[in-house]
Amino acid sequence: ELRHDGIVAVYERECRDGQVIFYLMEYMPGGDLEAAVLRGEVTRERWWPILLQVGEALQFAHERGLVHRDIKPSNILLSLDGCQARLCDFDLVRDAENTAGTKEGLGSIVYAAPECLDCGAHADARSDVYGLGMTFVFAMAGKKLGMEVVRNALAVIEALKLSSSMTQALSQAVAWERESRTASV
């Protein structure tokens, strides 16, 4: 029901084949952003438009009161030429008005905001900002991020040799304290 150019389209939900339950979604032949970056197909020059598309899609979801809660490179699918990106894997999405949600920690540890590691119900738009920020760091680094980025994100970001404004923006996006992050994408 969430229609946006930056969000993968789901055509049918709750399809069944015997005991297997599945859904039909838009096919993105370029695979996911994580694999494309690791293969060297998405260079520093090409990642920026891709991540901006994802940011716009994420803002669209936030404006409708939805929090993704699992933003990471493998949840960003690409067109064959790598020029179009779609955010996918909305199975952890939570309505901002619903306080029940998942009680357990969520996401991949490097991309999951600290407040989500203990309780996924604590996620808000700033939690998605954290995941998108770490996705930017991954794309800029061009390699898998280790635990050092969780322990000292600023050192990892500074090692990327970005402009001072980009370093500041990324540092704010991945701040450990939620209150230090921007409120929106």
Side-chain angles (χ1 to χ4, degrees):
E1 297 169 8
L2 195 59
R3 303 278 185 231
H4 186 274
D5 286 344
I7 298 173
V8 72
V10 175
Y11 302 122
E12 277 196 56
R13 300 181 300 175
E14 298 185 36
C15 300
R16 292 182 183 270
D17 182 16
Q19 297 291 327
V20 177
I21 300 172
F22 62 96
Y23 59 92
L24 297 176
M25 67 179 212
E26 176 181 13
Y27 176 64
M28 298 296 291
D32 66 66
L33 179 63
E34 180 178 37
V37 168
L38 294 176
R39 287 190 307 261
E41 295 170 2
V42 179
T43 61
R44 282 186 174 207
E45 296 76 35
R46 293 187 61 205
W47 69 262
W48 183 248
I50 290 169
L51 293 174
L52 285 176
Q53 290 173 40
V54 174
E56 289 172 3
L58 198 51
Q59 184 64 32
F60 178 81
H62 290 166
E63 288 169 356
R64 282 143 188 81
L66 300 174
V67 180
H68 188 283
R69 302 193 307 172
D70 197 20
I71 303 298
K72 59 187 178 184
S74 61
N75 284 341
I76 299 169
L77 301 180
L78 302 173
S79 60
L80 188 57
D81 63 4
C83 292
Q84 294 182 344
R86 304 274 193 279
L87 185 58
C88 70
D89 201 5
F90 279 77
D91 62 325
L92 296 179
V93 164
R94 171 174 85 75
D95 184 322
E97 300 300 316
N98 177 358
T99 58
T102 304
K103 300 278 191 256
E104 298 169 9
L106 297 172
S108 301
I109 193 162
V110 169
Y111 301 98
E115 63 273 10
C116 295
L117 295 175
D118 288 331
C119 180
H122 292 155
D124 65 12
R126 295 169 294 183
S127 305
D128 285 347
V129 166
Y130 183 95
L132 188 61
M134 283 297 188
T135 299
F136 267 67
V137 173
F138 163 77
M140 288 301 297
K143 62 181 182 179
K144 286 192 179 276
L145 300 175
M147 288 303 294
E148 70 273 6
V149 77
V150 176
R151 288 189 294 275
N152 191 353
L154 183 57
V156 172
I157 293 168
E158 287 176 343
L160 296 174
K161 307 281 190 233
L162 305 170
S163 68
S164 60
S165 58
M166 181 61 87
T167 297
Q168 180 183 0
L170 283 176
S171 297
Q172 185 176 10
V174 301
W176 192 261
E177 299 296 326
R178 177 174 28 189
E179 296 75 24
S180 297
R181 292 181 221 133
T182 58
S184 70
V185 176

